[in-house]
Amino acid sequence: MSNRFLDLLASRPCLLADGATGTNLFKVGLQAGDASELWNVDHPERIRALHQRFVEAGAAIIHNWADQPGAPAPLRCGAGSRQRGRGASNRS
C-alpha cells in the first residue's frame, strides 16, 4: 500500500508547508474573536482560495489551523452546536 506522504517526500528534495493561515484569514475578513474553525462551513470558498494560493506558491502540504488555545473556539463563541466531526459537541 502506498503512503502519499512518503511518496511525496521521495519525489522532492524538500517539502514546503503552508503558513500564516490565521493571519491570511484576517486579511480576507476574519474578525478578532470570530471562530476561525467555522469558516470551513461559513466561507469555504475563502478557505479554498487561500489554500490554492499556498499551492501556487509551491506548498506541498496544506493543513488546517489550530492556533487558538483552550476550549475550541466554537464552544467559546457559543457556536458549539455548529461543530461537526471528531470532537464535536452539541453544547452551545
Side-chain angles (χ1 to χ4, degrees):
M1 184 160 105
S2 177
N3 180 307
R4 291 178 65 191
F5 175 74
L6 292 178
D7 292 346
L8 186 59
L9 188 59
S11 71
R12 301 178 183 200
C14 66
L15 297 179
L16 177 65
D18 71 331
T21 301
T23 300
N24 283 288
L25 290 178
F26 282 109
K27 292 179 180 180
V28 295
L30 181 69
Q31 298 296 308
D34 286 353
S36 58
E37 296 89 341
L38 292 177
W39 272 45
N40 290 309
V41 175
D42 296 341
H43 304 288
E45 71 289 346
R46 294 181 191 178
I47 301 298
R48 200 172 298 114
L50 173 61
H51 287 175
Q52 183 60 41
R53 287 193 299 274
F54 288 142
V55 170
E56 291 167 1
I61 301 169
I62 305 295
H63 59 87
N64 210 350
W65 56 95
D67 61 350
Q68 303 203 15
L75 294 178
R76 291 194 316 269
C77 296
S81 63
R82 296 185 57 198
Q83 266 189 305
R84 298 185 202 165
R86 189 170 45 163
S89 170
N90 289 324
R91 295 174 288 155
S92 57

